[in-house]
Each structure stands twice: as structure tokens, then as C-alpha cells.
Amino acid sequence: RHARAVAPAYVGAMTDAGDAGLGPLAGKLHRFAVDQFDVLAGFAACKFAKHGPGALFVFTNCGLDDLLVEHGDPKLPAARALRRQMILVWGGVTERAAEDCTVAKLSSALGERRRAEVLRSIEEKCDRDAFPLAVCAGPAFATEDVREGLRPAARPSGKRERNSNQTASHEGFSVLSLKYGDYRAALTHGIGMRLEDALVVELDDDDDDAR
């Protein structure tokens, strides 16, 4: 089974690099989604079946550049040293949504423009064929509850913690639509994960296991 992702509906970052940077970023987002496809699609399929239409929010303890760094990139060791982590939560838009797991709640730190992009992506496509993926890279985009669950990114020994302005420069947000390819297979995989409302995924553990 292979992941099939379509072009992102929206790509944006707090470090606004302009349109010239959107092409490479879109490609990295696509490859990230494909690399993490099993856990993303499994989680989304289960939550869609239980809670109805919504979007899969991915909150991270690192910035977008560090999240999307690829194998072979000389920056990868430094990114892995951060002990990157992401928390998956399904934000619903109907009365079936889990308590405190609505788009309104989960997007409270995103601002109106970004929230509107998430809602638009749900209206355009959220069914057994595809689901919206909202990548919220950086603790500033997380709700207070989610931030409490995110481990602070590790810093190299001897280095001082980056100040808030430096941290913000690496944060980024994007919404893309991801196709299941095989919804039933994704649902079966998700059921086997014994999911709760949120799932913590450790990206840099040696065994790459989600917990």
C-alpha cells in the first residue's frame, strides 16, 4: 500500500519566505506526510469513523525546518538532537467531536486566517477518500493543554536557550489534503494502535515507535 498525497491547499510560515520558497516547502511537506503515512492515516481514519468530519492537527515541539529536514541533509543530526516530538489530535466540526477536540479549540492559537484555512480544507474534502492535515510546527501554535504535553526541544550542551524571537522564526503552519489510498486498511491499522484522544509520536527514538 502506498500513500497518495495531493498538493497542499495552503502553505505558509511565520518566517514568510515569499512565493519562491513555497515549491520546495510543498515538496518537503508531501514527503513528510508520506514518510509518516501509516500513523497519520491510521489515526485520521479512526477519528473520522468515531467523531465525523474534521482535520488532523499535528503539533510539534520543533520548528518547521527542523521537522521537515530530510535524510541526507547535513542538518539532520542537529534536528535529531532536538528529540523532535509531535502530538496528533483530531479536531472535529460536528456534535460528534470529542470534548476539547474541536477545530475551534485546537486552532485557538492559530489566528483567524489559519483557522479559516483549516475549515475550508474540511469543507473541500473530508471523507473516506481524503482528510485535511494541519501541520502546526512550533509550541506557539499549540493550545495550552497540548503545550503541557509537548516536551521542550532539547538543546546542545553548552548552548543557551534560544529567546522567544529566535524560536518564533522557525515556526510554520501548513494545511494539506492527504489521500488514504485504502481507507479500510488505514482504519484497521488505526484500530490496532489502541488510540486515545491524542497520540504522542517520538520522531527521533532509535526504534521510531509511536506511543
Side-chain angles (χ1 to χ4, degrees):
R1 177 170 52 87
H2 298 286
R4 292 184 295 142
V6 299
Y10 167 82
V11 175
M14 292 179 68
T15 51
D16 193 9
D19 293 341
L22 297 186
L25 181 57
K28 286 186 175 183
L29 282 163
H30 181 171
R31 290 187 289 276
F32 164 79
V34 171
D35 185 56
Q36 299 294 326
F37 178 76
D38 284 348
V39 66
L40 296 176
F43 190 95
C46 281
K47 297 307 179 181
F48 173 77
K50 184 175 182 179
H51 299 299
L56 178 55
F57 285 77
V58 176
F59 297 101
T60 74
N61 67 340
C62 63
L64 193 62
D65 291 342
D66 290 326
L67 177 68
L68 301 181
V69 66
E70 299 177 287
H71 291 289
D73 190 317
K75 297 179 181 178
L76 181 60
R80 287 181 59 86
L82 298 174
R83 296 185 64 210
R84 297 168 300 169
Q85 182 188 61
M86 59 185 187
I87 294 181
L88 311 185
V89 191
W90 183 259
V93 291
T94 72
E95 67 280 356
R96 293 168 57 192
E99 185 178 1
D100 292 331
C101 293
T102 63
V103 167
K105 171 75 173 180
L106 295 175
S107 63
S108 60
L110 295 179
E112 290 300 324
R113 178 177 61 84
R114 295 185 179 96
R115 179 186 293 116
E117 291 290 345
V118 175
L119 291 171
R120 182 172 68 86
S121 70
I122 296 171
E123 292 174 358
E124 290 180 349
K125 192 70 170 176
C126 183
D127 51 25
R128 293 189 176 193
D129 180 55
F131 63 94
L133 180 69
V135 179
C136 308
F141 289 140
T143 64
E144 184 176 349
D145 289 344
V146 172
R147 277 198 302 271
E148 289 178 356
L150 282 172
R151 178 185 59 246
R155 301 298 174 198
S157 58
K159 300 279 185 155
R160 297 183 61 183
E161 191 80 14
R162 285 184 291 190
N163 63 43
S164 58
N165 290 334
Q166 290 174 309
T167 301
S169 69
H170 295 282
E171 289 163 351
F173 168 80
S174 176
V175 179
L176 57 155
S177 179
L178 187 65
K179 287 184 175 290
Y180 288 107
D182 186 335
Y183 176 80
R184 287 184 178 274
L187 182 60
T188 299
H189 180 72
I191 291 172
M193 294 162 63
R194 300 181 181 180
L195 300 169
E196 298 184 2
D197 284 343
L199 177 68
V200 178
V201 180
E202 300 291 347
L203 296 174
D204 298 312
D205 281 358
D206 290 339
D207 57 6
D208 288 326
D209 283 343
R211 62 174 177 83

